[in-house]
Amino acid sequence: LVQDWGLFDLLRQSLPELPLHASTQMSLHTLGGACRAAELGLERVVLARELSRRDIAAITRDCPAETEVFVHGALCMCYSGQCYLSAVIGQRSGNRGLCAQPCRLPYGYGRFDQNRYPLSLKDNCLVGDLASLEAMGVASVKLEGRMKRPEYVAAVTGVYRKALDTGRVSREQMNDLHRAFNRQGFTDGYYAGRIGPEMFGIREDTKEDTGWMKDVRQTYEAVENPLVPER
């Protein structure tokens, strides 16, 4: 999974047989960009998170590389791979996997609007759209996991795995996604093409469900989950 074009070129020269995927940090949000990545030898393109259903379908249909779509997790107040706010404020680059998430903080002007959160988007959630993505020909879906606690990863991947296997999402599964993490709910605004104030939300202080957390931990502590399909 590569973000930097210089590293990509170096890997192509030194390890020509290594399969390479274009990271969402490459900001590939057009058919032309995705096709150029395929021409250069990238086998899969992880599309920018801000694309609509129509854009994803068009790129997937006409790009020779496989496409991967980000379906669950944090959305940035910026096109994927183009945010420098964390690096400027806290010397932690969001484009290097170290985002301090300054967009989640309150911002205002002087004495006014001190408690507003004008940059904080709700988390993306497309668990109900997996069948549509599959019908488009999308090869893979991407779930946020980096810098998240293991209970979050276990709960989210478990829900999406069941949704892919059964073709449906239950109310209890949606409750599990909310328990794992949410910012006043979720949004599918970019995917559905409904961009507006309803996409914004903040993390609310709620009492942690310790019993549920214990049950989630048992799903990965009690068994050894295979990393690749058994043959």
Side-chain angles (χ1 to χ4, degrees), residues 71-90:
V71 295
H72 196 93
L75 291 173
C76 302
M77 180 45 68
C78 187
Y79 258 86
S80 300
Q82 298 297 316
C83 183
Y84 295 94
L85 184 59
S86 179
V88 170
I89 293 177

Side-chain angles (χ1 to χ4, degrees), residues 5-229:
W5 286 109
L7 177 61
F8 165 76
D9 187 59
L10 180 62
L11 291 171
R12 263 289 159 261
Q13 294 180 44
S14 57
L15 298 169
E17 302 303 319
L18 180 69
L20 296 176
H21 296 178
S23 169
T24 186
Q25 296 289 315
M26 278 189 172
S27 305
L28 296 175
H29 55 274
T30 65
L31 175 60
C35 287
R36 181 57 176 158
E39 291 171 7
L40 292 171
L42 287 153
E43 297 183 9
R44 179 180 295 176
V45 174
V46 185
L47 299 177
R49 306 177 189 194
E50 299 77 20
L51 294 182
S52 68
R53 179 193 294 113
R54 180 180 178 181
D55 293 332
I56 294 170
I59 294 173
T60 301
R61 181 184 64 243
D62 296 329
C63 178
E66 293 180 343
T67 57
E68 183 171 323
V69 173
F70 181 83
V71 295
H72 196 93
L75 291 173
C76 302
M77 180 45 68
C78 187
Y79 258 86
S80 300
Q82 298 297 316
C83 183
Y84 295 94
L85 184 59
S86 179
V88 170
I89 293 177
Q91 288 74 55
R92 288 175 55 181
S93 174
N95 302 321
R96 298 291 186 271
L98 297 174
C99 183
Q101 298 192 341
C103 57
R104 308 304 174 191
L105 300 175
Y107 292 94
Y109 179 78
R111 296 180 291 108
F112 304 100
D113 298 329
Q114 288 292 330
N115 295 316
R116 295 186 62 191
Y117 295 80
L119 303 178
S120 182
L121 292 172
K122 296 176 182 178
D123 278 20
N124 190 39
C125 180
L126 301 183
V127 69
D129 298 290
L130 297 177
S132 297
L133 290 168
E134 184 178 9
M136 292 178 195
V138 171
S140 179
V141 294
K142 190 176 184 67
L143 310 173
E144 180 184 21
R146 182 170 49 193
M147 299 179 71
K148 288 289 190 181
R149 58 185 179 179
E151 293 88 352
Y152 172 94
V153 175
V156 172
T157 55
V159 168
Y160 274 81
R161 179 70 270 170
K162 290 177 183 177
L164 286 168
D165 291 341
T166 64
R168 60 183 296 271
V169 186
S170 68
R171 179 176 297 180
E172 182 58 31
Q173 288 171 326
M174 287 304 302
N175 288 339
D176 284 342
L177 292 178
H178 279 84
R179 291 189 189 103
F181 191 87
N182 76 91
R183 292 186 172 93
Q184 296 176 309
F186 297 110
T187 181
D188 64 349
Y190 281 126
Y191 182 78
R194 295 191 300 267
I195 300 174
E198 66 278 0
M199 294 178 64
F200 290 79
I202 61 172
R203 176 67 167 164
E204 297 178 307
D205 291 329
T206 56
K207 185 177 180 180
E208 189 173 86
D209 189 337
T210 56
W212 179 81
M213 295 289 286
K214 180 180 179 181
D215 291 341
V216 171
R217 282 193 292 272
Q218 289 179 345
T219 65
Y220 60 86
E221 289 181 345
V223 297
E224 182 177 352
N225 294 313
L227 300 180
V228 295

